[in-house]
Amino acid sequence: MIVEAAGRLFFGSGFARVNMDDLARELGMSKKTIYRHFPDKRNLLAAVLDRQFAAVERTLAAATEDAEGQPFGVRVQRFLIAAGSELGRIGAPQLATGRGDTMLRRYVEQRVDAVVYQRLDDLFQEGHQQGLLPAPPELLSEITRGALERLLVSELPRDLDWTAADLLRAAVDTVLYGAIRPTGQGNDDEPPRAVIPTARDDEQEVGP
């Protein structure tokens, strides 16, 4: 009951704006009772986040299961849309800044890595092993992670009058298929594969 009420306040008003007096009033109990279960606000927030990330994990598992058997691009897209929606819902990017609290920032980063990005890494590794992704999966993971986190805190959805989900879909398409299509290629044609320079290419220096 305490964790549920704290979650409503923390995500509604912001962690920094809520104190234990606010929570005690919300619950109709004394702070002493709350402190009996949670020694301080940070420990209470950790319990709230554990509960939230458990819900994120269930949502991602469901998205992965629903996309089973679909083309690889569809699987990646559905996973990232679900991840972006869930992380945005719990305010993970804002919490990861920690508002000066290094321990909080590290905690959130570790949870996001374990719940979201490890699954994304595994998915890109699978696509690479199947020959579907010629680019290094580590590079795709890094680019996609940056796009996801940036969009969650960006004003771009408002500026372009797009939803964050629509922008994330566009970002995924760009990462997987490239931003430039050959002249005359329609949207229904097979997307081009990225060309990755080889070591031999790097050794060929261009003269002045």
Side-chain angles (χ1 to χ4, degrees):
M1 183 174 63
I2 293 173
V3 171
E4 182 177 353
R8 288 197 304 270
L9 292 178
F10 289 161
F11 293 116
S13 302
F15 174 69
R17 296 181 179 180
V18 177
N19 57 42
M20 297 302 253
D21 289 317
D22 298 325
L23 183 57
R25 282 194 297 271
E26 175 75 11
L27 288 165
M29 64 176 60
S30 67
K31 286 195 298 182
K32 183 177 180 180
T33 301
I34 299 175
Y35 284 128
R36 191 179 303 143
H37 299 280
F38 302 97
D40 54 39
K41 193 169 76 165
R42 182 186 294 169
N43 277 271
L44 178 53
L45 177 60
V48 169
L49 290 175
D50 280 339
R51 178 175 178 167
Q52 293 292 331
F53 276 111
V56 171
E57 197 162 10
R58 288 192 298 270
T59 298
L60 295 183
T64 300
E65 183 177 347
D66 290 343
E68 191 69 30
Q70 295 291 326
F72 181 76
V74 173
R75 293 171 57 200
V76 172
Q77 187 182 76
R78 289 187 182 178
F79 177 85
L80 285 174
I81 297 303
S85 299
E86 286 296 296
L87 293 180
R89 181 178 63 80
I90 68 172
Q94 294 84 355
L95 289 169
T97 65
R99 296 187 181 276
D101 190 327
T102 302
M103 291 183 62
L104 173 59
R105 181 173 66 251
R106 289 177 179 172
Y107 178 85
V108 174
E109 288 174 348
Q110 289 170 359
R111 295 295 287 151
V112 171
D113 281 338
V115 173
V116 178
Y117 294 125
Q118 184 57 57
R119 283 182 167 82
L120 180 64
D121 293 346
D122 293 343
L123 193 55
F124 281 146
Q125 286 286 352
E126 178 187 336
H128 186 66
Q129 291 170 2
Q130 294 176 2
L132 301 174
L133 299 175
E138 297 83 1
L139 174 62
L140 294 175
S141 292
E142 194 70 17
I143 292 172
T144 307
R145 175 190 295 232
L148 175 59
E149 294 180 353
R150 179 60 184 161
L151 281 175
L152 290 175
V153 297
S154 174
E155 297 294 328
L156 195 59
R158 186 188 66 182
D159 294 343
L160 296 180
D161 196 24
W162 282 29
T163 67
D166 287 338
L167 286 175
L168 186 54
R169 288 189 184 93
V172 172
D173 286 344
T174 301
V175 170
L176 293 181
Y177 307 135
I180 301 176
R181 298 178 185 272
T183 302
Q185 178 174 328
N187 291 333
D188 295 333
D189 295 336
E190 182 179 355
R193 293 165 62 94
V195 178
I196 306 300
T198 64
R200 183 179 302 172
D201 295 327
D202 296 336
E203 293 170 358
Q204 296 178 357
E205 295 183 358
V206 179

